[in-house]
Amino acid sequence: MEDDINVDELFGDPNPINIRIPATSVAKGYLERLSGLRAGSCVQRIAWSKNGCVASLSNGGQEIQVRCLFCRQNDGSWILSESVPVKGTTASFAHPLVHLSWNHSGTDFAAVDSYGRISIFVMNIAVKRYGLSRSSSLDQEDDMAALVGMFWLSQARMYLVLSAAEKQDTWSLQILPRNHVGPYLPPKFGLGLFCLTKAAVLRFIYQTPDNRWMDVSLELESISSSDEILTHSHISPQKEAAENSLLVATYNTAKVLNIYRVMMKWNTPNTKLPQAFSYPSIQARLVVSKDLSMFIPPAASDLETLGSSRSRYQYELTHLQIVPSSNEKGDPANPEGDSAILAVFSRATSSFEQQMPSCSIVRWEFKRLTDSLHPTFDEVASKKHNASNSKNQEPVTALFIDGVATLDKDIVALDQINFGTSVVFAHSDGSVTFHDSTTLKDLSSDPDPNKISVMPHGGFEFPLDTSSAHVAFSPNACMAASISPSGDVRLRKMEYILSSWDDSTVTNHQALAVTALALQFVRSSGCSSSCEDILALVHNNKDLLQEFQNEIYRFSQIELDFAFAHNHEKLFRNTNIQRCLSMQASLGAQSHLGRRNLTSNVAWITLSLRNAFMMFGFTINTKTAPQSGEYELNNPDVLEALFGNTKWHIDLTIFIMDELFELADKMKEEPDQACRFQLIRDSKSVALLLILASVPRTYMKTNCRCLRGLTNKLFDLCNSAPGNQIQAIVDFQALIETPPIKVSVFERFLAEIENIIRHAYQSGNFSPEDRRAAEKQMLVSCEIPPIMLPVTEKILSQSLDRIQNDPPGIDRAGIYFRDISWLGVSDDKATRQFQKTRVVDAHRKILLAKNAPLRRCVRCGAQVEDLPFHKGQPPWLMTIQRNCICGSMWMIDPAEQNAQ
């Protein structure tokens, strides 16, 4: 064998002895990476944001490159885009960039050089387009200002710690609600982050409402010698304490671990000047200090007798993290008890002793101790006073080891997932493992068949990859990106291993996989994180697609039954339904020309209806100024978007009526009811599903009502509008009043359909659960349930004839000859030809010029014109257009990027 060495053959021994030397593969740059991790904690050369953008350092830390994960529309594969350099860095070869960090929303990031100087870049509408917001020139060149810790402030909101458990052959969510904890920035303030230097100076950098950058600092401890210089740190909110409290863990060259509690307060200025804003003040106190200079991880200390000296097996710190405590409820008497310290130690020497573990993970818990004398001292009169004082002393916080794990490979990257309840490690041999942050149990190799908390529990695992030791994980830890010494970025995806554990313990591998994917999707929805990496896994495993589509609706607990609802607030305000419809639309997309299967088409049209509703609703309800009677209708940008969405909505109604009339004509040729029902099932009609399912029907009905209101407001506005806008208003009114089927007629048709469906549910004694199942079958599976077959027959045979004959009636010839190829909702020859030559703006629903600059959605591939936002636009219009109608991010169209 290649790895066997025949030692005695070298000396001519007739009886050779084979010595087996195990072959080990390690990631490229592993030793350099490990050396950097031991030297400090702010050495992240590649980082992946929550919205799916990857930033990396290249050219020896002289440049920043950004890429994004997107779906290549010609084959549906998910890849990293070509890199785009970020302009505005001031790095030099003497002091290069050494660390990258994204904020919590994933829209902005900080780049830090070896001096600790911070540049902050903000996203300009599309990923891969970043502008400099804070220049590193605001900071001084000082070696002692190099950073060892960084923490971005987040938004105040609730989040859910989720896992899945099997009960009676059904997987259900286990939900543990938690509140995001502060500190927070005051309203209208921009960005804010804490930084800790190796000189133990805590800096708070924040952006005021007028976009100025301010800086407040505090010295945590006085540095009097080189042994006290900090090397590692981690900053985390303190959950059970006051909202403006932080925990700061530090580690210095003398191997002393200190834990500080930092309090932050926003002060109101004494002056009433408009440019005077609240300003912060910070205070800190030492909670606990622990000397680790002679520390050897417990599992390694058992083997101490193997060495001749203690220093031979000394372990060095590489990672320091603050993670949630095992005490879920917390203890008000022990405010630090809701957190724990997680430290990773690697062997400092290059010893070949195989008995010693290469890496040790240690977890410390906080505990409160009370110093007191033995009760017998109370009997001594001279000690009574001192004993009494000792009883009244405040409790002392101490650190106690709560768990230890050892590994035979080093950890080169660490990331907390599921709000710190689990951690994912990238190892020196190219493998990736998932661990419970409380028990340190390896969740990758020891799954629980009755509980799912991480992706390996569903049969997914990362393939080995030794291309680089610099690794960053995607928002849901389903993918990893690594950067080579030359600056090239490589994408690594999880793979579905059907038999990743013993078949005797698991009976349904596919159910586990689908549950793991759906669980991770719900988690990403709860924290407004990108789910493109989950979508990529499902695309690679087509067998899981339909079940996954059903499970995300069930796990998200989205209400789809609005047949009897009079208040549709849930439908309009629930962003989770947008995320589920987006996944459904993306999973069924079949080409870059917008061709979709039935389920994808229904979801995409419903998303467009939702987008039109938001345009109409904001226009009607938003005034140009407080206490003003003027609305946004006289804004040219608003009028353009309204005109496009109104034309789209009217042409969609024409498409629906045309398809219904065609189906009704076919039914008249079938005398047998069973044949008619079979015809309805086999029709796979998009129009039929849109009017039967209550979600798209509610959107259409509401849009019709909004259009009636807009018509009235435009009529009143026509007399006072500027001359250059009168023609636009007249065109808008003509658009509403002259179609083959008027908006009011279609609204009446929808109301009649709703009454027929309600009567069918009532006469069939359908419970709310039965109705939800039927609505889900229509919207998600795109199948017509048995209860809807007689409903459909009545609609096609009676309701259609009634609205056609009652005034003002319907121009059926106008419907038949109307060119609706631009809608992109059918797969006929005219639609395919249109999509090859023209582009429709996904938000404004207008045709774009052939040379118009474009932005493209990273998920669904929809395109919009790449127009800059300006002050004349209403804030709500900019908010709507900031994301695609599917909720995903924009990227610069690849063709536009190459042209630049």
Side-chain angles (χ1 to χ4, degrees):
M1 298 179 65
E2 285 184 1
D3 297 325
D4 289 349
I5 297 180
N6 196 330
V7 178
D8 293 282
E9 193 176 50
L10 297 174
F11 304 97
D13 195 311
N15 300 311
I17 299 175
N18 291 329
I19 299 177
R20 173 75 175 180
I21 298 180
T24 58
S25 59
V26 294
K28 293 180 180 179
Y30 148 63
L31 293 178
E32 178 187 359
R33 171 65 171 163
L34 200 60
S35 177
L37 290 171
R38 289 167 179 161
S41 49
C42 282
V43 288
Q44 188 71 28
R45 289 183 54 197
I46 183 168
W48 202 321
S49 74
K50 277 179 63 175
N51 66 11
C53 192
V54 178
S56 61
L57 300 179
S58 62
N59 192 21
Q62 306 305 302
E63 297 178 356
I64 305 173
Q65 302 285 340
V66 290
R67 299 168 174 84
C68 67
L69 182 68
F70 79 106
C71 180
R72 189 163 53 189
Q73 297 298 302
N74 58 351
D75 60 1
S77 61
W78 286 84
I79 60 173
L80 284 178
S81 66
E82 294 293 327
S83 64
V84 173
V86 176
K87 299 178 181 179
T89 60
T90 58
S92 65
F93 283 101
H95 294 282
L97 298 172
V98 295
H99 183 69
L100 297 171
S101 175
W102 289 94
N103 69 341
H104 287 281
S105 63
T107 56
D108 316 302
F109 71 91
V112 184
D113 66 12
S114 58
Y115 273 138
R117 299 184 302 174
I118 302 170
S119 301
I120 297 179
F121 300 88
V122 297
M123 187 178 73
N124 182 13
I125 306 175
V127 295
K128 300 203 305 176
R129 180 192 283 165
Y130 290 88
L132 181 65
S133 176
R134 182 188 189 274
S135 174
S136 60
S137 61
L138 296 176
D139 302 324
Q140 296 181 351
E141 296 184 1
D142 184 0
D143 286 333
M144 293 299 292
L147 297 189
V148 297
M150 181 177 287
F151 171 76
W152 288 87
L153 267 64
S154 63
Q155 297 178 340
R157 59 178 300 168
M158 176 173 284
Y159 65 89
L160 302 176
V161 178
L162 302 174
S163 61
E166 188 178 25
K167 295 179 180 179
Q168 299 178 348
D169 298 329
T170 301
W171 289 93
S172 59
L173 284 182
Q174 293 182 326
I175 303 175
L176 186 64
R178 286 284 187 267
N179 287 321
H180 260 306
V181 287
Y184 310 113
L185 285 168
K188 298 183 180 181
F189 276 64
L191 301 170
L193 69 159
F194 281 91
C195 308
L196 184 62
T197 71
K198 66 180 185 180
V201 175
L202 183 67
R203 301 174 58 193
F204 176 56
I205 302 171
Y206 64 99
Q207 190 179 26
T208 60
D210 58 357
N211 293 326
R212 289 182 299 138
W213 285 96
M214 309 297 288
D215 194 331
V216 177
S217 61
L218 172 70
E219 188 179 70
L220 292 183
E221 57 187 81
S222 178
I223 303 298
S224 58
S225 68
S226 59
D227 287 343
E228 298 174 344
I229 294 175
L230 301 186
T231 59
H232 296 77
S233 175
H234 191 251
I235 306 172
S236 174
Q238 190 169 357
K239 299 175 178 57
E240 295 299 332
E243 282 193 347
N244 290 325
S245 177
L246 290 169
L247 276 184
V248 180
T250 68
Y251 187 82
N252 60 24
T253 53
K255 301 181 179 7
V256 175
L257 175 66
N258 288 330
I259 310 297
Y260 297 89
R261 181 180 174 187
V262 176
M263 295 296 298
M264 181 180 180
K265 180 182 179 182
W266 286 93
N267 305 288
T268 305
N270 295 326
T271 178
K272 294 184 179 181
L273 294 176
Q275 66 272 21
F277 306 112
S278 300
Y279 59 94
S281 60
I282 50 178
Q283 296 178 331
R285 69 174 180 85
L286 180 64
V287 174
V288 62
S289 180
K290 191 172 186 68
D291 187 356
L292 301 178
S293 59
M294 301 299 290
F295 174 75
I296 290 181
S301 61
D302 296 338
L303 303 175
E304 178 62 17
T305 56
L306 295 174
S308 58
S309 66
R310 186 179 188 88
S311 61
R312 183 179 181 184
Y313 299 110
Q314 185 66 55
Y315 282 70
E316 296 286 348
L317 182 74
T318 57
H319 296 85
L320 182 63
Q321 296 276 309
I322 300 174
V323 295
S325 169
S326 57
N327 184 7
E328 296 178 352
K329 296 183 178 180
D331 182 4
N334 182 17
E336 287 78 28
D338 67 324
S339 302
I341 304 298
L342 190 71
V344 178
F345 296 87
S346 66
R347 217 167 48 202
T349 64
S350 59
S351 171
F352 286 98
E353 291 282 356
Q354 295 301 315
Q355 296 95 329
M356 295 298 295
S358 179
C359 172
S360 185
I361 310 167
V362 183
R363 175 189 166 92
W364 284 279
E365 289 272 3
F366 292 92
K367 291 186 179 180
R368 281 293 179 100
L369 303 177
T370 303
D371 293 336
S372 61
L373 295 174
H374 193 275
T376 56
F377 279 86
D378 293 340
E379 301 174 2
V380 183
S382 61
K383 300 290 184 178
K384 282 185 180 180
H385 179 70
N386 293 336
S388 176
N389 289 341
S390 66
K391 286 184 177 180
N392 296 327
Q393 289 180 357
E394 292 187 2
V396 177
T397 301
L399 289 173
F400 287 84
I401 292 180
D402 186 56
V404 177
T406 58
L407 303 172
D408 58 358
K409 48 195 173 185
D410 286 308
I411 295 173
V412 296
L414 181 156
D415 198 6
Q416 296 188 34
I417 58 175
N418 195 17
F419 303 103
T421 57
S422 305
V423 288
V424 55
F425 298 140
H427 297 283
S428 54
D429 64 349
S431 63
V432 174
T433 59
F434 292 73
H435 291 252
D436 187 295
S437 64
T438 301
T439 64
L440 304 183
K441 176 184 177 182
D442 186 353
L443 302 175
S444 305
S445 60
D446 188 16
D448 183 349
N450 298 315
K451 183 177 180 180
I452 293 177
S453 58
V454 292
M455 292 298 293
H457 286 169
F460 294 91
E461 65 180 34
F462 279 99
L464 290 176
D465 183 5
T466 58
S467 61
S468 175
H470 293 269
V471 181
F473 293 99
S474 64
N476 300 289
C478 297
M479 291 184 174
S482 57
I483 180 172
S484 67
S486 62
D488 297 328
V489 174
R490 178 185 176 91
L491 183 65
R492 182 166 31 154
K493 304 175 184 178
M494 268 189 160
E495 296 178 352
Y496 177 46
I497 310 299
L498 185 61
S499 299
S500 56
W501 50 77
D502 185 7
D503 288 341
S504 63
T505 62
V506 180
T507 57
N508 192 343
H509 290 278
Q510 187 160 308
L512 287 173
V514 170
T515 302
L517 288 166
L519 172 65
Q520 200 59 51
F521 171 81
V522 176
R523 285 174 177 167
S524 69
S525 301
C527 61
S528 301
S529 178
S530 164
C531 57
E532 272 69 27
D533 51 346
I534 303 173
L535 193 56
L537 286 193
V538 182
H539 265 295
N540 290 342
N541 300 275
K542 299 294 185 181
D543 295 340
L544 310 177
L545 194 150
Q546 187 58 50
E547 287 190 45
F548 169 72
Q549 198 165 279
N550 290 324
E551 284 298 277
I552 61 175
Y553 281 93
R554 185 172 73 88
F555 275 20
S556 300
Q557 300 177 355
I558 294 175
E559 182 61 67
L560 299 178
D561 174 28
F562 294 92
F564 291 89
H566 298 288
N567 185 0
H568 303 129
E569 195 77 10
K570 278 186 178 181
L571 177 60
F572 299 141
R573 292 191 177 274
N574 191 345
T575 57
N576 282 340
I577 193 170
Q578 180 194 27
R579 292 177 69 94
C580 290
L581 287 169
S582 174
M583 294 292 276
Q584 181 176 333
S586 298
L587 290 171
Q590 296 175 335
S591 80
H592 68 290
L593 294 179
R595 297 173 190 170
R596 306 174 182 277
N597 62 18
L598 182 61
T599 59
S600 175
N601 207 6
V602 170
W604 177 254
I605 294 173
T606 307
L607 285 169
S608 296
L609 287 168
R610 180 182 181 274
N611 179 69
F613 159 74
M614 294 178 69
M615 291 281 187
F616 300 152
F618 275 113
T619 304
I620 291 177
N621 298 318
T622 306
K623 297 180 180 180
T624 55
Q627 310 302 326
S628 171
E630 297 183 5
Y631 291 83
E632 302 282 5
L633 290 171
N634 57 355
N635 187 297
D637 293 317
V638 174
L639 274 176
E640 183 182 47
L642 281 180
F643 188 91
N645 278 273
T646 301
K647 187 176 188 305
W648 181 90
H649 181 82
I650 291 175
D651 280 2
L652 178 67
T653 64
I654 292 173
F655 162 78
I656 291 173
M657 298 306 297
D658 185 39
E659 195 166 279
L660 293 180
F661 276 124
E662 183 180 351
L663 188 57
D665 292 340
K666 291 180 181 179
M667 280 187 56
K668 292 176 182 178
E669 300 174 359
E670 296 289 349
D672 183 59
Q673 187 183 56
C675 294
R676 292 196 295 271
F677 283 177
Q678 189 61 42
L679 176 66
I680 294 172
R681 292 192 195 95
D682 297 340
S683 66
K684 305 295 182 184
S685 170
V686 175
L688 203 54
L689 291 166
L690 291 175
I691 63 171
L692 292 178
S694 63
V695 171
R697 187 178 66 249
T698 301
Y699 279 132
M700 288 190 290
K701 188 175 64 173
T702 307
N703 287 347
C704 290
R705 188 165 61 247
C706 288
L707 285 175
R708 283 194 290 107
L710 283 173
T711 304
N712 297 332
K713 291 185 181 298
L714 285 170
F715 182 80
D716 297 337
L717 183 64
C718 193
N719 297 327
S720 60
N724 59 346
Q725 294 183 18
I726 292 179
Q727 186 58 47
I729 295 174
V730 171
D731 292 342
F732 188 89
Q733 290 175 330
L735 177 68
I736 295 178
E737 295 173 358
T738 59
I741 175 171
K742 294 185 180 298
V743 172
S744 58
V745 175
F746 188 72
E747 184 181 7
R748 191 167 69 246
F749 179 54
L750 292 177
E752 183 173 340
I753 292 172
E754 191 161 87
N755 289 331
I756 296 173
I757 292 175
R758 286 177 178 174
H759 182 266
Y761 280 147
Q762 289 173 337
S763 60
N765 294 322
F766 265 48
S767 65
E769 290 75 16
D770 295 332
R771 295 201 309 268
R772 293 190 191 101
E775 294 289 346
K776 184 178 179 181
Q777 187 177 356
M778 290 185 287
L779 182 65
V780 182
S781 302
C782 290
E783 298 173 351
I784 297 179
I787 186 69
M788 291 296 168
L789 293 175
V791 169
T792 304
E793 184 182 31
K794 185 174 182 179
I795 292 171
L796 296 177
S797 60
Q798 300 179 23
S799 300
L800 273 181
D801 290 340
R802 188 177 299 112
I803 66 167
Q804 187 175 7
N805 297 325
D806 292 349
I810 295 175
D811 181 6
R812 189 168 176 184
I815 290 176
Y816 181 80
F817 289 106
R818 181 90 163 203
D819 181 10
I820 55 174
S821 58
W822 75 284
L823 289 177
V825 296
S826 58
D827 194 27
D828 56 9
K829 183 178 179 180
T831 299
R832 292 197 298 268
Q833 184 61 34
F834 179 90
Q835 291 172 334
K836 289 179 181 178
T837 57
R838 301 300 301 272
V839 175
V840 177
D841 190 293
H843 268 297
R844 296 178 294 163
K845 304 299 183 187
I846 61 174
L847 297 182
L848 300 179
K850 292 185 178 181
N851 58 350
L854 300 175
R855 296 196 298 265
R856 192 173 80 87
C857 176
V858 300
R859 181 184 304 171
C860 68
Q863 294 175 307
V864 295
E865 189 172 4
D866 186 23
L867 295 174
F869 292 152
H870 57 83
K871 293 183 179 179
Q873 287 180 314
W876 63 263
L877 185 60
M878 290 188 287
T879 301
I880 291 176
Q881 296 181 344
R882 196 172 296 277
N883 296 84
C884 178
I885 65 173
C886 74
S888 194
M889 304 296 295
W890 298 116
M891 63 179 286
I892 304 303
D893 190 272
E896 299 293 328
Q897 179 183 320
N898 294 335
Q900 294 175 0

